[in-house]
C-alpha cells in the first residue's frame, strides 16, 4: 500500500524505491513484525491511515472519492487508540494538525472535516470511556444500561507506560529525555527481544540522511513535507511523558524513516550512481549483519526464551512421569515451562493457566502441572524426573549420587542435569 501511495506522490521510481527500502529494511519494522504485542500493532493502522489520507490529496477533482479516502484514513488513525494507550497522547495532536494543514492548503472542506471528525469520535468513544474509567478511581464503577453492563475495571495500565505524574514530574521528564538520547546513541533499549545494540531502530549510519531530510522538508514545505513534519512533532509529547523503549516510541519511527528516505532522495539528486550504489550496498550489508545477529542463538540466550527450550521441554515429556522436580535460579522457570509446553487440546484449559485481570496472586513459582520445585522437605516420588541447574549442583550432591543421570537439557538459557528416580512402585 505504501508503494502504491508513494507512486502517486513521487514522480521518479527510484525515489519510491528508496523510501520503501528505508522503511522495509529498518530494524524497527523487522523486529516489530516478528513478535506480537499490543503496542506493536499501532504503527500499522497509522501507516495505512496516512496512506489513505495522502491518496485523498491526489483526488481533488473527485470529491466523493476524496471523501472516502479521507474517511478511511482518519478512521484508521483513530483505530490506533485501541492498540495501545500511548495513542491517547498522540492522536489529540496529529488530528488537528492535519485538519489545519489541509484546510489552509484547500485540500479538504468543512463538510469533510465534520464527517471524518464525527465518525472518528464515534469510533474512539468506547476506548475513551475505558481510558477515563480505568484511570480515574471515582469514575470506575459498574454501570448498567438496559441489557448492557459495563463492569468495574480492576486496574489501569497507565503506570506501565507513562512517567509518574504525581511526584517530581519535571525530574521524570528530564530522566526520560536522557534515557531517550542514550537509547538512540547506543542503538538499543536493552531489551534483547526488542532491539540489538549497535543497529538502532533505523541503522546508526543514517543520521546524516535524517538531518538532510529534516532540513529539506523545512525548506521545501510541500504538503507531503508538512504532513511528515506534523507526524514527527506529534510524537514529541510521547518522548517526554512515556517511558522510552523502542515499543513505546512506536509513533516516532514511521515519520523518522520517512525523513531519512527524503534525505536519501535529496542526496542522490543528479543521478550520481556512485552515491546510489554506496547507499544500496550499505543497506544490504547492514541488513545482512542485522538478520544474522537477530537470529543468532546467543541473542536468544540473553532473553531467557531461546529456541531450543521448546524441544528440550518436549524431550522431557513430563506426562510420562508422576513428578518433575526442579531446582533453578530462574525466577520465571514455570512461566517458561507453561509457554513452551504443548498447548492442550482445549484452549479453555490453556487459558486457565494464564494470568487474568482478577488474579490476586502472581503465576505460581513452586508448582505447575506435575512440575514441583525442590524444597528442603521434598521427598522424591518414584517414576519421576529431577532437573538440577548445573550452577546449583554443589548444593545437590546427594541427588547426583543417588539417582540415575539421564541427560543434559537447556531451558531458558541455563543447562540442567536430568536425573530419574526408581521406576518401580
Amino acid at each position: 500500500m505504501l508503494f502504491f501511495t508513494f507512486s502517486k506522490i513521487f514522480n521518479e521510481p527510484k525515489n519510491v524505491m528508496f523510501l520503501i527500502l528505508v522503511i522495509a529494511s529498518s530494524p524497527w519494522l523487522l523486529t516489530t513484525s516478528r513478535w506480537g504485542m499490543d503496542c506493536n500493532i499501532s504503527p500499522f493502522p497509522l501507516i495505512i491511515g496516512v496512506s489513505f489520507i495522502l491518496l485523498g490529496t491526489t483526488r481533488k477533482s473527485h470529491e466523493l472519492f476524496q471523501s472516502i479516502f479521507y474517511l478511511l484514513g482518519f478512521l484508521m488513525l483513530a483505530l490506533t487508540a485501541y492498540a495501545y494507550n500511548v495513542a491517547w497522547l498522540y492522536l489529540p495532536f496529529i488530528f488537528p494538525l492535519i485538519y489545519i494543514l489541509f484546510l489552509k492548503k484547500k485540500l479538504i472542506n468543512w463538510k469533510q472535516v465534520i464527517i471524518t471528525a464525527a465518525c472518528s469520535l464515534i469510533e474512539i468513544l468506547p476506548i475513551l470511556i475505558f481510558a477515563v474509567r480505568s484511570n480515574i478511581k471515582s469514575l470506575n464503577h459498574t454501570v448498567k444500561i438496559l441489557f448492557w453492563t459495563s463492569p468495574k475495571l480492576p486496574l489501569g495500565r497507565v503506570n506501565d507506560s507513562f512517567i509518574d505524574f504525581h511526584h517530581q514530574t519535571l525530574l521524570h521528564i528530564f530522566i526520560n529525555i536522557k534515557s531517550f538520547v542514550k537509547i538512540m546513541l547506543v542503538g538499543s533499549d536493552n531489551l534483547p527481544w526488542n532491539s540489538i545494540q549497535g543497529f538502532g531502530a533505523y541503522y546508526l549510519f543514517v543520521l546524516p540522511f535524517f538531518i538532510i531530510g529534516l532540513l529539506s522538508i523545512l525548506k521545501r514545505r510541500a504538503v507531503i513535507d508538512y504532513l511528515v513534519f506534523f507526524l514527527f512533532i506529534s510524537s514529541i509529547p510521547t518522548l517526554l511523558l512515556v517511558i522510552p523503549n523502542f515499543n513505546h516510541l512506536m509513533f516516532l519511527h514511521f515519520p523518522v524513516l520517512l525523513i531519512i528516505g527524503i534525505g536519501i532522495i535529496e542526496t542522490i539528486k543528479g543521478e550520481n550512481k556512485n552515491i546510489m550504489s554506496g547507499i544500496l550496498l550499505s543497506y544490504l550489508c547492514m541488513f545482512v549483519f542485522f538478520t544474522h545477529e537477530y537470529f543468532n542463538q546467543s541473542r536468544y540466550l540473553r532473553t531467557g526464551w531461546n529456541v531450543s527450550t521448546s524441544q528440550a521441554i518436549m524431550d522431557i515429556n513430563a506426562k510420562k512421569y508422576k513428578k518433575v522436580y526442579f531446582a533453578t535460579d530462574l525466577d520465571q522457570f514455570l512461566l517458561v515451562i507453561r509457554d513452551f509446553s504443548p498447548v492442550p487440546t482445549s484452549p479453555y484449559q490453556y487459558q486457565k493457566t494464564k494470568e487474568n485481570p482478577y488474579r490476586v496472586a502472581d503465576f505460581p513459582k513452586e508448582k505447575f502441572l506435575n512440575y514441583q520445585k525442590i524444597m528442603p522437605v521434598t521427598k522424591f516420588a518414584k517414576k519421576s524426573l529431577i532437573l538440577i541447574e548445573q550452577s546449583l549442583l554443589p548444593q545437590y550432591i546427594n541427588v547426583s549420587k543417588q539417582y540415575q543421570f539421564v541427560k543434559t537439557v537447556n531451558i531458558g538459557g541455563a543447562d540442567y542435569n536430568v536425573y530419574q528416580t526408581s521406576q518401580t512402585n
Side-chain angles (χ1 to χ4, degrees):
M1 185 168 185
L2 277 177
F3 179 82
F4 178 78
T5 303
F6 291 155
S7 299
K8 296 292 183 180
I9 302 296
F10 299 93
N11 296 324
E12 297 187 44
K14 69 175 182 179
N15 294 346
V16 177
M17 179 197 73
F18 275 105
L19 281 170
I20 295 299
L21 171 68
V22 168
I23 296 172
S25 66
S26 66
W28 161 71
L29 186 63
L30 294 171
T31 305
T32 298
S33 303
R34 285 285 302 171
W35 61 287
M37 191 176 181
D38 47 4
C39 55
N40 287 357
I41 299 172
S42 291
F44 298 103
L46 170 69
I47 293 172
I48 295 171
V50 170
S51 298
F52 276 128
I53 290 171
L54 283 173
L55 289 173
T57 64
T58 66
R59 293 284 182 170
K60 296 180 183 179
S61 58
H62 300 86
E63 184 176 331
L64 176 60
F65 288 109
Q66 184 184 61
S67 299
I68 292 173
F69 280 125
Y70 284 159
L71 181 60
L72 291 173
F74 283 105
L75 287 177
M76 289 302 298
L77 284 182
L79 196 61
T80 60
Y82 287 87
Y84 205 55
N85 57 3
V86 175
W88 306 344
L89 186 61
Y90 182 77
L91 295 180
F93 290 93
I94 192 60
F95 261 71
L97 285 174
I98 294 177
Y99 283 137
I100 292 170
L101 169 65
F102 281 21
L103 285 170
K104 185 175 181 179
K105 296 292 184 179
K106 297 182 179 179
L107 293 171
I108 195 171
N109 57 49
W110 279 105
K111 182 175 71 175
Q112 292 170 326
V113 170
I114 293 171
I115 292 174
T116 55
C119 291
S120 298
L121 182 60
I122 292 171
E123 180 186 14
I124 291 175
L125 190 59
I127 194 67
L128 182 62
I129 295 173
F130 166 82
V132 172
R133 293 181 61 228
S134 62
N135 295 294
I136 300 178
K137 291 183 178 180
S138 61
L139 299 177
N140 185 17
H141 53 83
T142 300
V143 177
K144 293 184 178 182
I145 303 175
L146 300 177
F147 55 85
W148 179 73
T149 301
S150 178
K152 180 180 179 180
L153 302 170
L155 69 160
R157 290 199 58 203
V158 67
N159 293 330
D160 295 334
S161 305
F162 292 89
I163 64 172
D164 184 357
F165 294 104
H166 303 291
H167 305 93
Q168 298 180 312
T169 303
L170 291 178
L171 176 62
H172 288 299
I173 290 175
F174 176 71
I175 294 173
N176 246 28
I177 295 173
K178 283 180 59 180
S179 299
F180 168 73
V181 172
K182 181 180 178 181
I183 286 173
M184 289 299 161
L185 291 178
V186 174
S188 171
D189 55 6
N190 290 325
L191 300 175
W193 55 86
N194 205 24
S195 62
I196 301 176
Q197 187 167 331
F199 289 93
Y202 331 108
Y203 302 124
L204 299 183
F205 77 91
V206 301
L207 179 59
F209 298 122
F210 173 78
I211 296 173
I212 294 171
L214 187 59
L215 293 175
S216 175
I217 64 175
L218 291 175
K219 179 181 178 180
R220 189 172 51 196
R221 300 184 183 181
V223 172
I224 181 66
D225 298 322
Y226 274 113
L227 183 58
V228 171
F229 184 68
F230 288 161
L231 289 169
F232 176 67
I233 64 173
S234 294
S235 66
I236 291 177
T238 66
L239 304 183
L240 303 177
L241 304 177
V242 179
I243 299 170
N245 63 50
F246 282 156
N247 295 118
H248 290 171
L249 299 174
M250 67 197 81
F251 295 111
L252 174 70
H253 302 312
F254 181 52
V256 167
L257 288 170
L258 290 177
I259 294 172
I260 292 169
I262 291 172
I264 291 176
I265 291 172
E266 291 296 314
T267 303
I268 63 175
K269 275 185 176 179
E271 300 292 337
N272 191 319
K273 292 185 179 180
N274 291 332
I275 295 178
M276 289 176 59
S277 300
I279 293 173
L280 287 172
L281 183 61
S282 298
Y283 265 98
L284 177 61
C285 291
M286 293 304 293
F287 175 77
V288 171
F289 294 149
F290 173 79
T291 51
H292 174 268
E293 180 63 20
Y294 184 88
F295 290 104
N296 189 280
Q297 179 70 17
S298 62
R299 173 181 170 273
Y300 285 96
L301 294 178
R302 295 196 299 273
T303 68
W305 305 92
N306 66 76
V307 292
S308 65
T309 295
S310 178
Q311 186 60 49
I313 292 175
M314 291 180 66
D315 291 343
I316 290 173
N317 197 7
K319 290 183 179 180
K320 287 177 54 179
Y321 302 94
K322 185 174 182 180
K323 291 283 186 180
V324 178
Y325 300 97
F326 66 91
T328 180
D329 276 336
L330 182 61
D331 188 52
Q332 296 185 334
F333 178 84
L334 289 179
L335 277 174
V336 176
I337 297 297
R338 191 275 308 275
D339 288 342
F340 281 107
S341 294
V343 178
T345 304
S346 169
Y348 300 103
Q349 293 177 3
Y350 179 72
Q351 188 63 27
K352 289 179 181 179
T353 72
K354 295 176 69 69
E355 295 86 347
N356 63 73
Y358 301 100
R359 182 188 292 274
V360 176
D362 293 331
F363 189 81
K365 297 181 180 180
E366 298 180 0
K367 292 182 180 181
F368 173 69
L369 298 177
N370 60 339
Y371 284 83
Q372 180 175 321
K373 187 174 183 178
I374 298 175
M375 307 296 286
V377 295
T378 299
K379 294 183 179 180
F380 300 118
K382 296 178 180 179
K383 294 185 178 180
S384 299
L385 289 182
I386 304 172
L387 309 181
I388 307 293
E389 188 175 342
Q390 289 185 349
S391 62
L392 301 178
L393 282 174
Q395 302 176 34
Y396 296 92
I397 295 176
N398 292 336
V399 172
S400 60
K401 290 182 177 180
Q402 184 175 353
Y403 299 103
Q404 179 185 357
F405 173 78
V406 179
K407 57 184 174 181
T408 299
V409 296
N410 187 285
I411 299 175
D415 289 324
Y416 292 78
N417 283 6
V418 182
Y419 302 91
Q420 186 172 330
T421 62
S422 173
Q423 294 296 301
T424 59
N425 288 319

